C-alpha cells in the first residue's frame, strides 16, 4: 500500500465532509452516460431499444445503489450521519424545553457536587506528592495511651536506634518544630519553623527554587545558622523578593542568613514558614537532647531503601522497637503502651481529612444516584410520548442500532450540558470546600479543577448518557406489527416499565432518608458542641497571648546550668513587663479584672508533665497521671470566670521564697485523690521529662481546686491541669485574661496598643474573645454539617420531584380508567385516596428501606459525632416524619388532579 | 457460459490501473467493458462497485478525471493515470506477482524432501 495515497485518500474524504452536494448532479450525469453507452451497445447487438435499456439497467445493479455507494466513498458517512443525529437531537431538545431544563438542572447538581468533591479528594488524597518519588516517603509516629499521647514524637537516641536497626529505611531525616520571633522594623511576628538535619531536603525530595537548601555540612555545632524559606512564606512575607538570599534576619535576637527558598510542598506535622539547621538552638545540640532517651522533640521522616518494601520497613521497625523497649525499661512505662507506627507520608498528610472527604464523596454519590434515577424516570415518561415516533421511524427502516444511536446522541447532549453547568457549580463549590479542608490538610492548596477532574466530570456524563439510552424503550425488529396493532397507547401502561419507575422512586426515598439521617446527626452534633460549657462562667472575656520567650544564653554555652541561669534572669525582666501591661490595661474603662498566666484558657498548647501525689499509690496497670502545667496570678481565675470549687485562689503572698503551693483543676484532683479532699495534700511534678526542664520536682501543697476548662477542643474530655503561682515560678510564656463589663471585643484594640508599647518587638497572638475561640472550635463541624445537610436537602428536593412526577404520569395514563371508576360510582374523595394510597405505599417502602440503610450507614459516622448516638431516636423519628410529610405532600398534587377528572369528558375523548 | 464471479476486494483497483495503462484515458463504461472482455465475461462489474473504486483511486491521487467528448460524441468523464498512479501500478504489479508466485508454489505438486 502506498502511505501517501492513503493519506491523500483520507484527506479527500475529510474535505468531502465540507463540499457542497452539487457533485451529485455530476455523478448522475456520469452514470447516465454509462447507461446510455451500455444501451447503445445492446442495440448494436440487435436488441430492441426497450429490451436494450432493461438489460443495461439490470447489469448496472441499480443507479440509486451506485450513487449511495459513491456518496459513502466521497466523505465519511458515519461522521455525516452523526452530525445529522446531533442536529436532530438539538431540534428535539429545543422542542422539549421544560424536559431539557429539568434534566440538565438535575444532572448539573449531581455532577457539580461530585466534581467539586472529587477535585478535593484528588488534590488532598490521591494526587502524587510534589516531592521527588513521594510514594517512597515514610512518616514514623510514636504514641502512648492517655492525653497528649497520640503523637509524642521521638528522642534522638530513639532515632539513632531505628536508623541503625532498620536497613529497609534508606535514611532518616530529623525534624523538630520550633517557634521564633522574627524581628523586623515593621513589628515582630512569630515564625513557625522546623529545625532539620542536613539530609532533610534530600530525603524529602525537595529542591530549591532559589539559592540552596541545607545539606549535611550544615549539621553540628560551630557552623553558622542558616534558614531556608518556604515558597509560600517567601511570597506572602517577603513579596517573592529574589534578593532575600544572602540577607541576614533576626530570629530571637540572633542573626541568621537566608540561604534559599524551597519549592512549594505540603508540610507535616505542622505548617512551617522556614527551615533551619539545628545550630540556632543550643538546646538541640546539648547533651540533654542528644542523650536523653525520653527527651522527645524530634519527628522522623524516612525514605524507603531502593529495593525495600513498606512491609519490610514495618517488620524491621517493629523488631527494633521491641528491642528498645526491652533494653530501656526505665524509659518506657509499660502501662502507657508505647507503640510506633510506620505510614506512607502521603497517608499521614491525608489522615485527618480522609474520613470527612470520603464521607462527603459518598454523600455526593448518593445525590448523583438520586438525580440519575430522576432523569431515568423523566426519560421513561417522555419515552412513552416518543414511542409512536420511534415506532414510525423503525417502520420506515431505521434499525435498532440507528435508533439507539439517535437516543445516545440526544442523551449525551443532555448529560454534557449537565456536566458543563455542573463544572460551573463545582468551581464555586471548590472554593468553599478548600477552606474546610485547609483545617485538616496541608495539601488544600493543591486542589484545582484540572484535566483529571474535568475528565471525571466527562466520564460521569458519558456513563449517565449510556444509562439513560439503555433504559429507554426501543421498538425491536419483528415486534412492530404487534405494537401498531395494539395501538400506541397500550404501550404506556407497560407493567415492567411502571415497576421500574416505582422501584426508582422507592430507591430515591430510601437514599434520601440515609442522607437526611446523616445530616441530622451531624447537625445535632454541631448544636450539642456549641452548647458545651467552656468551663468559663462569663463570655465577656478577651484573651491576649504575649509569649516573651527571648533570653540570651552566654555565647556558645549549651550546658543546662548556664541555660537555666539565662532563662531565670530573663524571667525577672519579663515579669516586670507583664505587670506593667496588667496595670495599664486594668486602667482602661470597662475593664473589670485582668489576670496573668502562662497561657490563655481554651488553648491547649503547653507543657505536659507526669504528676504524683504523696501517699497515693497507682492501681496495677495504671499509667502515671499526666497534667498540663501552667501558671496563674491571683486574678487569673476570677478574670477568666473559672469557678473556684474548693480551697482558695492564689494570693499576693504566694511569692518566690514562700511555701510552694498549687491549684489543681477538677480533672486532676479526681484523678489523683479520687473522693478524698485534696486541700492540704502534697503533689509534685515527676517523670523523665522533668529532668530536661528548669522546673523543680519539689513537693507542693494543694491550696485550691478550680473547674475544668475545655482546652484544645470542645469535644474532648477535659485535660488534667496544675497551676503554680505566676509570681512564684517561671512565667512560661505569658497571657492576659481581661474581663469586661460588656463587649469584650471592643477592648481588643486598646489592649493591643498597650502591649505593643510595653514590648514593641514581641509577637501578639490569639487576641480573641471567648465567644470567638468557641466559634473557631465549632466552625469546621458546622461547615461539615452544613455541607452534608445541603446534600441531603438536595436529595429530598430531587426525590420529591421524582415522586410527584411519577404519580402525575401514572394518573395521566389512567385517566380513562379513573373516568370509568367514577362513572361507576366512585366519588372524587375515593379516587384521591386511591392515588394517595398508591404514592403512600411507595413512600412507606422507601422509608422502611431507608431507615434500615441509615441504621447501618450512620454507624460509620460514630467518630464524627459528639453528644449524640449513631442511632439517636430523636434524629431518626424526625427524619422519618419529615420525609413522610414531604412524600405525602408530593403525592397530594397528582391525587387532587385525579379527583378532578370529569368522567364525562374522558369517556367522550376515547 | 461459465458462472459469473464477483470481483475480489483489492484486485479491482489493480485491474483499473492496468487497463488505463494499456488503453490511455477511458470513461467508466470503457473501463468496465475492457475488464469484462479480458475476464471473458466471467466478471460482472455493476456501477455500485466500479464508481466508488474510481472515486477512491481519484481521491488517492492515482488517477485524474476530466470531462470530454466520447467517440460517439457524448459527454463523458474520462479517467487517466497520473504519475503517482504509474508508480503505484508498478508497485502493485510487483507485489501481486510475488503473491501469485507464492500461492502457485503452494498448489504445485508436492516434491518429497530428499
Amino acid at each position: 500500500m502506498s502511505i501517501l495515497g492513503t493519506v491523500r485518500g483520507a484527506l479527500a474524504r475529510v474535505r468531502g465532509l465540507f463540499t457542497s452536494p452539487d457533485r451529485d448532479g455530476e455523478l448522475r450525469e456520469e452514470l447516465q452516460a454509462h447507461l446510455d453507452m451500455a444501451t447503445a451497445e445492446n442495440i448494436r447487438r440487435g436488441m430492441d431499444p426497450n429490451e436494450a435499456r432493461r438489460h443495461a439497467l439490470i447489469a448496472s445493479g441499480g443507479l440509486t445503489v451506485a450513487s449511495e455507494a459513491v456518496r459513502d466513498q466521497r466523505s465519511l458517512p458515519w461522521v455525516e450521519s452523526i452530525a445529522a443525529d446531533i442536529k436532530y437531537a438539538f431540534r428535539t431538545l429545543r422542542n422539549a424545553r421544560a424536559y431539557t431544563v429539568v434534566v440538565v438542572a438535575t444532572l448539573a447538581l449531581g455532577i457539580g457536587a461530585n466534581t467539586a468533591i472529587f477535585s478535593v479528594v484528588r488534590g488532598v488524597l490521591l494526587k502524587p506528592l510534589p516531592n521527588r518519588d513521594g510514594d517512597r516517603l515514610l512518616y514514623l509516629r510514636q504514641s502512648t495511651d492517655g492525653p497528649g499521647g497520640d503523637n509524642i514524637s521521638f528522642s534522638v537516641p530513639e532515632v539513632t536506634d531505628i536508623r541503625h536497626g532498620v536497613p529497609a529505611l534508606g535514611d532518616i531525616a530529623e525534624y523538630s518544630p520550633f517557634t521564633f520571633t522574627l524581628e523586623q522594623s515593621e513589628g515582630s511576628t512569630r515564625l513557625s519553623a522546623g529545625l532539620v538535619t542536613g539530609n532533610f531536603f534530600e530525603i524529602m525530595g525537595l529542591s530549591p527554587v532559589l539559592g540552596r537548601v541545607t545539606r549535611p555540612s550544615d549539621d553540628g555545632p560551630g557552623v553558622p545558622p542558616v534558614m531556608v524559606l518556604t515558597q509560600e512564606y517567601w511570597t506572602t512575607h517577603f513579596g517573592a523578593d529574589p534578593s532575600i538570599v544572602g540577607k541576614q534576619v533576626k530570629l530571637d535576637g540572633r542573626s541568621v542568613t537566608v540561604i534559599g527558598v524551597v519549592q512549594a510542598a505540603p508540610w507535616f506535622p505542622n505548617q512551617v514558614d522556614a527551615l533551619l539547621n539545628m545550630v540556632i538552638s543550643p538546646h538541640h545540640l546539648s547533651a540533654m537532647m542528644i542523650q536523653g532517651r525520653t527527651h522527645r522533640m524530634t519527628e522522623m521522616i524516612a525514605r524507603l531503601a531502593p529495593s525495600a518494601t513498606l512491609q519490610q520497613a514495618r517488620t524491621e521497625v517493629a523488631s527494633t522497637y521491641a528491642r528498645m523497649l526491652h533494653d530501656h525499661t526505665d524509659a518506657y512505662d509499660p502501662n502507657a503502651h508505647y507503640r510506633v507506627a510506620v505510614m506512607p507520608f502521603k497517608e499521614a498528610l491525608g489522615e485527618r481529612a480522609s474520613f470527612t472527604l470520603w464521607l462527603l464523596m459518598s454523600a455526593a454519590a448518593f445525590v448523583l444516584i438520586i438525580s440519575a434515577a430522576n432523569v431515568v424516570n423523566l426519560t421513561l415518561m417522555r419515552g412513552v410520548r416518543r414511542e409512536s415516533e420511534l415506532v414510525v421511524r423503525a417502520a420506515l427502516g431505521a434499525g435498532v442500532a440507528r435508533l439507539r444511536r439517535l437516543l445516545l446522541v440526544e442523551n449525551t447532549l443532555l448529560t454534557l450540558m449537565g456536566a458543563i453547568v455542573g463544572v460551573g457549580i463545582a468551581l464555586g463549590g471548590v472554593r468553599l470546600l478548600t477552606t474546610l479542608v485547609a483545617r485538616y490538610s496541608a495539601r488544600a492548596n493543591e486542589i484545582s479543577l484540572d484535566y483529571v477532574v474535568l475528565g471525571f466530570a466527562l466520564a460521569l456524563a458519558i456513563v449517565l448518557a449510556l444509562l439513560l439510552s439503555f433504559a429507554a424503550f426501543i421498538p425491536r425488529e419483528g415486534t412492530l406489527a404487534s405494537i401498531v396493532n395494539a395501538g400506541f397507547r397500550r404501550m404506556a401502561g407497560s407493567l415492567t416499565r411502571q415497576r421500574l419507575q416505582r422501584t426508582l422512586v422507592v430507591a430515591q426515598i430510601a437514599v434520601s432518608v440515609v442522607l437526611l439521617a446523616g445530616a441530622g446527626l451531624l447537625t445535632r452534633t454541631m448544636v450539642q458542641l456549641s452548647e458545651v460549657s467552656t468551663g468559663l462562667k462569663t463570655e465577656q472575656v478577651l484573651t491576649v497571648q504575649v509569649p516573651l520567650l527571648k533570653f540570651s544564653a552566654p555565647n556558645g554555652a549549651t550546658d543546662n546550668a548556664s541555660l537555666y541561669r539565662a532563662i531565670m534572669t530573663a524571667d525577672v525582666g519579663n515579669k516586670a513587663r507583664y505587670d506593667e501591661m496588667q496595670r495599664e490595661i486594668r486602667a482602661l474603662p470597662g475593664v473589670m479584672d485582668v489576670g496573668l498566666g502562662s497561657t490563655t484558657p481554651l488553648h491547649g498548647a503547653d507543657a505536659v508533665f507526669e504528676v504524683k501525689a504523696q501517699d497515693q499509690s497507682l492501681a496495677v496497670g495504671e499509667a502515671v497521671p499526666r497534667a498540663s502545667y501552667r501558671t496563674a496570678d491571683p486574678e487569673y481565675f476570677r478574670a477568666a470566670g473559672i469557678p473556684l470549687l474548693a480551697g482558695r485562689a492564689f494570693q499576693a503572698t504566694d511569692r518566690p521564697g514562700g511555701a510552694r503551693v498549687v491549684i489543681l483543676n477538677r480533672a486532676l484532683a479526681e484523678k489523683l485523690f479520687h473522693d478524698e479532699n485534696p486541700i492540704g495534700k502534697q503533689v509534685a511534678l515527676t517523670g523523665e521529662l522533668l529532668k530536661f526542664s528548669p522546673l523543680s520536682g519539689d513537693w507542693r501543697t494543694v491550696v485550691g481546686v478550680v473547674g475544668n476548662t475545655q482546652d484544645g477542643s470542645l469535644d474532648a474530655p477535659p485535660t488534667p491541669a496544675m497551676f503554680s503561682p505566676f509570681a512564684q515560678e517561671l512565667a512560661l510564656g505569658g497571657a492576659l485574661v481581661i474581663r469586661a463589663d460588656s463587649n469584650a471585643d471592643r477592648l481588643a484594640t486598646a489592649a493591643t496598643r498597650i502591649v505593643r508599647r510595653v514590648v514593641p518587638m514581641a509577637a501578639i497572638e490569639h487576641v480573641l474573645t471567648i465567644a470567638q475561640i468557641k466559634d473557631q472550635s465549632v466552625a469546621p463541624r458546622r461547615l461539615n454539617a452544613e455541607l452534608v445537610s445541603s446534600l441531603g436537602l438536595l436529595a429530598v428536593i430531587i426525590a420529591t420531584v421524582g415522586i410527584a412526577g411519577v404519580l402525575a404520569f401514572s394518573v395521566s395514563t389512567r385517566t380513562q380508567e379513573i373516568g370509568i371508576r367514577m362513572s361507576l360510582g366512585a366519588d372524587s374523595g375515593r379516587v384521591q385516596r386511591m392515588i394517595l394510597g398508591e404514592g403512600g405505599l411507595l413512600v412507606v417502602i422507601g422509608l422502611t428501606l431507608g431507615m434500615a440503610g441509615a441504621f447501618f450507614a450512620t454507624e460509620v459516622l460514630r467518630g464524627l459525632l459528639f453528644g449524640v448516638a449513631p442511632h439517636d431516636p430523636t434524629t431518626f423519628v424526625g427524619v422519618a416524619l419529615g420525609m413522610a410529610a414531604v412524600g405525602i405532600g408530593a403525592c397530594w398534587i397528582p391525587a387532587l388532579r385525579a379527583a378532578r377528572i370529569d368522567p364525562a369528558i374522558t369517556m367522550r375523548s376515547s | 457460459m461459465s458462472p459469473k464471479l464477483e470481483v475480489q476486494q483489492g484486485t479491482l483497483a489493480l485491474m483499473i490501473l492496468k487497463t488505463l495503462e494499456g488503453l490511455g484515458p477511458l470513461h467508466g463504461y470503457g473501463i468496465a467493458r475492457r475488464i469484462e472482455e479480458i475476464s471473458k465475461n466471467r466478471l460482472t462489474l455493476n456501477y455500485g462497485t466500479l464508481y466508488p473504486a474510481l472515486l477512491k483511486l481519484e481521491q488517492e491521487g492515482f488517477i485524474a478525471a476530466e470531462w470530454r467528448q466520447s467517440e460517439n460524441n457524448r459527454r463523458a468523464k474520462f479517467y487517466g493515470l497520473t504519475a503517482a498512479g504509474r508508480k503505484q501500478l508498478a508497485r502493485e504489479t510487483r507485489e501481486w506477482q510475488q503473491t501469485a508466485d507464492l500461492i502457485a508454489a503452494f498448489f504445485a505438486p508436492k516434491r518429497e524432501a530428499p
Side-chain angles (χ1 to χ4, degrees), chain A residues 205-266:
Chain A
L206 294 175
S207 320
V209 290
L210 200 67
R212 68 167 179 100
V213 290
T214 60
R215 42 189 181 229
S217 59
D218 295 308
D219 279 341
V223 292
V226 292
M227 168 155 92
V228 176
L229 300 175
T230 59
Q231 193 165 15
E232 197 179 4
Y233 192 70
W234 176 57
T235 314
T236 57
H237 210 81
F238 293 102
D241 172 16
S243 72
I244 188 75
V245 173
K247 287 214 176 111
Q248 303 260 318
V249 294
K250 283 244 173 202
L251 291 188
D252 287 357
R254 295 191 62 180
S255 280
V256 178
T257 312
V258 177
I259 54 167
V261 178
V262 69
Q263 71 179 94

Side-chain angles (χ1 to χ4, degrees), chain A residues 2 5 8-9 12-13 26 29-31 33-38 41 45 59-61 63 66 69-70 73-74, chain B residues 27-29 32-33 46-48 50-52 55-56 59-62 67 74-77 79 84 88 91 95:
Chain A
S2 149
R8 274 197 298 261
R13 295 185 77 161
E26 201 176 294
E29 193 184 343
E30 184 177 10
L31 295 180
H34 190 137
L35 193 63
D36 290 349
M37 289 186 223
E41 172 81 20
R45 286 203 191 133
S60 78
L63 293 185
V70 173
Q73 172 67 34
R74 195 142 65 202
Chain B
H27 43 65
Y29 174 73
R33 283 294 300 148
N46 60 37
Y47 302 1
L50 175 67
Y51 284 97
L55 178 57
K56 185 161 187 282
Q59 286 170 337
E60 288 167 340
F62 298 141
W67 285 94
R74 205 188 184 297
R75 234 168 80 82
K77 202 173 180 183
Y79 296 91
Q88 174 72 1
R91 178 166 42 236
E95 278 167 16

Side-chain angles (χ1 to χ4, degrees), chain A residues 121 124 159 184 213-214 303 458 510 606 760 840 861:
Chain A
V121 167
V124 172
V159 176
Q184 285 174 300
V213 290
T214 60
R303 194 166 268 277
L458 186 69
D606 38 22
L861 286 179

Side-chain angles (χ1 to χ4, degrees), chain A residues 346-359:
Chain A
K346 187 160 123 183
E347 216 170 88
L349 275 170
E351 207 177 19
R352 290 180 60 222
S354 92
F355 188 76
T356 306
L357 286 183
W358 288 121
L359 181 77

Side-chain angles (χ1 to χ4, degrees), chain A residues 449-468:
Chain A
L449 277 175
D450 58 11
Y451 65 97
V452 175
V453 176
L454 293 179
F456 173 83
L458 186 69
L460 281 184
I462 289 168
V463 168
L464 285 172
L466 287 171
L467 191 76
L468 294 183

Side-chain angles (χ1 to χ4, degrees), chain A residues 656-690:
Chain A
R660 283 178 187 274
V661 293
V662 290
I663 289 175
L664 311 182
N665 76 353
R666 186 176 177 168
L668 183 60
E670 279 168 1
K671 189 130 197 159
L672 290 174
F673 300 103
H674 311 287
D675 301 332
E676 292 174 44
N677 180 9
I679 306 297
K681 294 270 170 48
Q682 300 285 308
V683 296
L685 300 175
T686 180
E688 285 289 316
L689 208 53
L690 193 62

Side-chain angles (χ1 to χ4, degrees), chain A residues 266-337:
Chain A
W267 301 102
F268 190 80
N270 54 328
Q271 184 60 43
V272 289
D273 304 323
L275 297 132
L276 292 95
N277 55 353
M278 299 273 183
V279 72
I280 184 80
S281 161
H283 179 82
H284 279 75
L285 298 173
S286 66
M288 182 201 294
M289 175 87 183
I290 289 166
Q291 287 156 21
R293 178 162 291 274
T294 51
H295 196 68
R296 301 190 173 94
M297 293 180 70
T298 306
E299 303 281 348
M300 257 201 255
I301 295 157
R303 194 166 268 277
L304 269 181
S307 57
T309 64
L310 177 61
Q311 198 45 50
Q312 258 169 352
R314 282 188 169 141
T315 316
E316 290 176 14
V317 167
S319 63
T320 306
Y321 195 71
R323 202 160 53 240
M324 273 162 54
L325 296 191
H326 180 263
D327 292 350
H328 305 275
T329 42
D330 53 322
Y332 304 95
D333 176 0
N335 297 319
H337 299 111

Side-chain angles (χ1 to χ4, degrees), chain B:
Chain B
M1 202 168 148
S2 49
K4 297 252 173 175
L5 294 171
E6 277 298 309
V7 65
Q8 258 182 317
Q9 197 72 37
T11 56
L12 181 58
L14 184 54
M15 291 179 202
I16 293 171
L17 292 178
K18 193 74 194 164
T19 305
L20 293 179
E21 188 196 33
L23 302 180
L26 260 184
H27 43 65
Y29 174 73
I31 296 171
R33 283 294 300 148
R34 177 72 180 163
I35 290 176
E36 280 163 5
E37 264 168 30
I38 290 184
S39 75
K40 305 206 170 56
N41 283 327
R42 277 172 303 181
L43 275 178
T44 54
L45 269 183
N46 60 37
Y47 302 1
T49 314
L50 175 67
Y51 284 97
L54 284 172
L55 178 57
K56 185 161 187 282
L57 286 171
E58 194 185 345
Q59 286 170 337
E60 288 167 340
F62 298 141
I63 58 176
E66 193 188 359
W67 285 94
R68 273 200 233 157
Q69 293 300 108
S70 74
E71 51 277 18
N72 44 13
N73 265 343
R74 205 188 184 297
R75 234 168 80 82
K77 202 173 180 183
F78 279 74
Y79 296 91
L81 269 187
T82 62
R86 261 174 235 291
K87 245 188 266 169
Q88 174 72 1
L89 176 61
R91 178 166 42 236
E92 280 208 33
T93 310
R94 208 166 48 241
E95 278 167 16
W96 181 257
Q97 205 56 57
Q98 283 165 357
T99 311
D101 288 350
L102 193 68
I103 298 293
F106 269 92
F107 288 97
K110 243 194 206 146
R111 261 173 287 168
E112 290 299 321

